[in-house]
Amino acid sequence: MPERFTVTTPIYYVNDVPHIGHAYNEVATDVLARWHRMRGDDTWMLTGTDEHGQKIMRTAAANGVSPQEWTDRLVETAWKPQLELLNIANDDFIRTTDERHKVGVRIFLERLKEAGYIYHGEFEGQYCVGCEEYKTANDLVPGTGEYEGQLVCAIHSRPIEIVREANYFFKLSEFGDRLLALYDERPDFVQPEHVRNEVRQFVKQGLNDLSISRNTFDWGIKVPWDETHVVYVWFDALLNYITANGYGVDEERFERRWPGVHIVGKDIARFHAVIWPAMQMAAGLPISEHVFGHGWLLVGGEKMSKSKATGIEPRQITEVFGVDAFRYYFSSAIAFGSDGSFSWEDLDARYHSELANGLGNLASRVIAMVHKYCDGVVPDVAADAELQALMADAVGRADSAIDTFAIHDAVDAAMAIVERLNGYITEQQPWVLAKDESQRERLGAVLATNVHGIGTAAILLAPVMPETAQKLWAAVGGEGEVSAQQIRRAHEWRGTGRVTTVPPLFPRIEQA
Ligand SMILES: [Zn+2]
């Protein structure tokens, strides 16, 4: 039986303009999914868009179209193209306006109501339309400029609205103890540690029931027993993870794909690690496997935001450096789980030192030498034992790093092979060996070791740089698709015994 690996990005808020913060999440999730596929795991990667709520209704109206037309347009012109641009191999894309999602949400609500976890109640609160969330006093700050003298949302810097509603409520307050028990019994449920502590602290303070419907606007999924209400967007959105996987309509599929792993920004970890597992408990579902809250991308010390000058579109980077370099940079430059700063200077420096001079140069030198000294035939001798051991070690380290979501460590392990091979060439000086007929065998071993090492690195880098890895793989005589290789045995690969040619992988980029 293969292991099962279902992994999700958050569903992206369709009104946002996709920026490298979203791309960071998409690439990381894709790398994990590709890695698991190369283990042979029964893998499923889900992504999608969050399309309901008052703010979307308002922007659609401002643009003179229906909300459905508005979200269709954004999905097709912004969100799906971003996935294609970044070479994301998601297996599914769910929209909260999909019929399958609406059906699943209604089934879920009915079951929760039957189980006694939903009631009708009165509520008055300070509501931020930007957040689609009621705010507590802690979430508000004094306004400035035109909002001087008012309290505003700390995230949106805009005044909150006092909303009085008779809504349906989910008895979230009943789940505090069970959630704390979950965090204790499964210490790896919320990762990394600092996010886990934050979530735990939040639950320990006591939970309030959650208002899960609205009746002041109608762009949403109607509450099945009361069509004057639509489902609160967060409640609606979280359910995508199961409605995409057959919940309530296809039990076989649901059992195969659920539970899954959620890769989210730490700012929404609370929704995923508190509300979502409580919802699953209430419905008697298996609880998600992990919630991993990654850090923020900072630009000039600030969290990336579309409304600030820090918003960078992925295309601005891929047009200069290429898609694989983009994927590599964001997978390796920042420890996954920590905040990290993006800078063009750092990207440029790593591109040239690690990719162009490190990996690209290694491949082109080795391929050229095999052609020059051996007519393109890889000498049929075993790789040097020291290097062979290093490769086996790198494969093991990279593979276990993936299990702790340490994507950056996995890339490091792969690149350690590249670095060692470059040092090895300098030490062994194959061009000197080639001048001495008595060193023929030694020359063969050095070249075979290099070819083998590049192939091993190509397999390990395939989840991160799919296209580059395929070119490297073909160049060293790998057969078929590099992505079809068994990643845990990357160091055991065998090829055709012939090198071909390697196209320029990382052309030098002149600074504008
Ligand atoms: Zn807000």
Side-chain angles (χ1 to χ4, degrees):
M1 276 287 280
E3 301 249 343
R4 181 179 47 78
F5 185 69
T6 293
V7 66
T8 73
T9 72
I11 47 174
Y12 301 107
Y13 185 60
V14 75
N15 255 7
D16 281 350
V17 176
H19 57 57
I20 60 173
H22 306 106
Y24 179 60
N25 177 285
E26 288 164 347
V27 167
T29 308
D30 185 54
V31 169
L32 293 170
R34 286 177 186 267
W35 197 288
H36 280 268
R37 282 189 204 108
M38 288 179 69
R39 281 183 184 175
D41 293 350
D42 183 17
T43 303
W44 194 256
M45 174 179 165
L46 172 68
T47 186
T49 40
D50 174 14
E51 306 185 12
H52 289 131
Q54 191 170 14
K55 196 163 56 163
I56 288 168
M57 207 172 82
R58 287 179 182 176
T59 44
N63 283 276
V65 293
S66 72
Q68 187 66 60
E69 285 171 307
W70 177 244
T71 61
D72 287 350
R73 183 191 298 176
L74 295 174
V75 167
E76 295 306 325
T77 60
W79 292 101
K80 286 187 173 172
Q82 163 134 320
L83 296 171
E84 268 166 52
L85 173 74
L86 299 170
N87 199 4
I88 306 295
N90 52 298
D91 297 286
D92 197 358
F93 186 101
I94 188 161
R95 302 176 53 183
T96 53
T97 52
D98 283 351
E99 197 50 39
R100 58 175 172 159
H101 177 69
K102 296 179 194 169
V103 167
V105 169
R106 288 191 201 109
I107 293 171
F108 185 89
L109 277 173
E110 293 277 18
R111 289 190 186 165
L112 238 55
K113 186 161 180 275
E114 275 163 34
Y117 289 113
I118 291 181
Y119 65 93
H120 191 261
E122 295 276 339
F123 184 77
E124 183 185 274
Q126 301 167 305
Y127 189 77
C128 173
V129 173
C131 296
E132 313 248 20
E133 190 182 29
Y134 283 104
K135 294 290 168 184
T136 65
N138 292 337
D139 301 322
L140 304 176
V141 296
T144 55
E146 63 176 308
Y147 304 127
E148 186 89 51
Q150 302 180 56
L151 285 175
V152 299
C153 167
I155 295 164
H156 290 92
S157 308
R158 296 179 137 274
I160 36 87
E161 297 174 13
I162 300 295
V163 176
R164 188 174 293 114
E165 283 183 296
N167 286 334
Y168 293 97
F169 284 80
F170 169 51
K171 292 183 180 170
L172 181 62
S173 63
E174 290 191 3
F175 290 90
D177 289 343
R178 284 176 69 184
L179 287 168
L180 290 171
L182 169 70
Y183 308 144
D184 287 343
E185 283 158 23
R186 287 168 48 186
D188 63 353
F189 173 65
V190 188
Q191 298 183 51
E193 191 64 25
H194 63 269
V195 176
R196 177 174 180 263
N197 291 339
E198 224 176 87
V199 164
R200 223 177 170 285
Q201 207 46 44
F202 176 77
V203 173
K204 259 184 140 170
Q205 288 166 1
L207 297 170
N208 295 319
D209 287 347
L210 181 72
S211 160
I212 58 156
S213 73
R214 301 286 182 266
N215 70 352
T216 49
F217 60 94
D218 65 357
W219 180 238
I221 299 175
K222 290 190 164 56
V223 171
W225 59 87
D226 181 351
E227 299 214 332
T228 65
H229 282 254
V230 294
V231 180
Y232 165 53
V233 284
W234 264 107
F235 207 81
D236 164 356
L238 288 165
L239 288 168
N240 92 86
Y241 302 124
I242 57 172
T243 61
N245 288 312
Y247 170 74
V249 291
D250 184 345
E251 284 309 313
E252 199 179 321
R253 187 166 130 78
F254 186 61
E255 259 184 40
R256 177 171 174 195
R257 297 295 175 205
W258 193 255
V261 173
H262 307 302
I263 307 298
V264 301
K266 63 180 179 182
D267 49 335
I268 56 170
R270 200 191 281 180
F271 290 93
H272 286 80
V274 179
I275 297 175
W276 179 220
M279 288 164 66
Q280 296 173 73
M281 287 170 183
L285 298 177
I287 311 298
S288 312
E289 280 174 354
H290 307 288
V291 175
F292 188 92
H294 61 69
W296 286 339
L297 276 191
L298 309 174
V299 177
E302 272 195 79
K303 183 181 183 237
M304 180 126 9
S305 152
K306 62 175 165 135
S307 56
K308 294 178 183 153
T310 50
I312 296 171
E313 281 182 49
R315 193 173 295 281
Q316 292 171 265
I317 295 173
T318 59
E319 277 174 0
V320 179
F321 293 93
V323 172
D324 275 354
F326 181 102
R327 295 174 57 104
Y328 173 84
Y329 178 77
F330 287 107
S331 300
S332 64
I334 301 159
F336 198 54
S338 305
D339 289 347
S341 291
F342 168 81
S343 80
W344 288 96
E345 293 74 20
D346 187 40
L347 168 60
D348 186 76
R350 286 172 185 268
Y351 175 86
H352 284 107
S353 68
E354 295 168 22
L355 295 180
N357 298 335
L359 180 59
N361 196 33
L362 171 70
S364 59
R365 284 165 86 196
V366 168
I367 303 286
M369 286 191 284
V370 176
H371 280 296
K372 188 172 174 190
Y373 304 138
C374 308
D375 292 324
V377 177
V378 185
D380 188 16
V381 287
D384 270 3
E386 179 227 322
L387 276 285
Q388 187 63 260
L390 178 133
M391 289 174 218
D393 175 65
V395 171
R397 274 195 299 138
D399 192 59
S400 35
I402 291 299
D403 283 333
T404 56
F405 303 98
I407 297 170
H408 53 288
D409 284 339
V411 180
D412 263 9
M415 292 304 281
I417 298 175
V418 173
E419 201 179 313
R420 181 66 193 104
L421 289 177
N422 273 317
Y424 177 74
I425 292 176
T426 309
E427 289 159 25
Q428 302 293 326
Q429 301 189 307
W431 49 92
V432 174
L433 298 175
K435 287 183 189 144
D436 183 347
E437 197 52 41
S438 72
Q439 295 290 335
R440 202 64 206 161
E441 207 171 309
R442 184 73 208 125
L443 174 67
V446 169
L447 294 178
T449 301
N450 271 291
V451 167
H452 196 72
I454 293 169
T456 302
I459 296 171
L460 291 181
L461 290 168
V464 180
M465 297 193 285
E467 291 189 355
T468 301
Q470 182 59 35
K471 288 175 191 162
L472 282 171
W473 175 248
V476 294
E479 285 184 289
E481 297 291 319
V482 65
S483 59
Q485 306 310 305
Q486 170 52 259
I487 206 160
R488 284 173 158 159
R489 297 209 308 269
H491 53 298
E492 295 171 18
W493 76 277
R494 299 238 165 268
T496 57
R498 293 196 72 89
V499 297
T500 58
T501 54
V502 63
L505 298 173
F506 306 104
R508 289 202 71 79
I509 291 157
E510 302 306 328
Q511 287 295 20

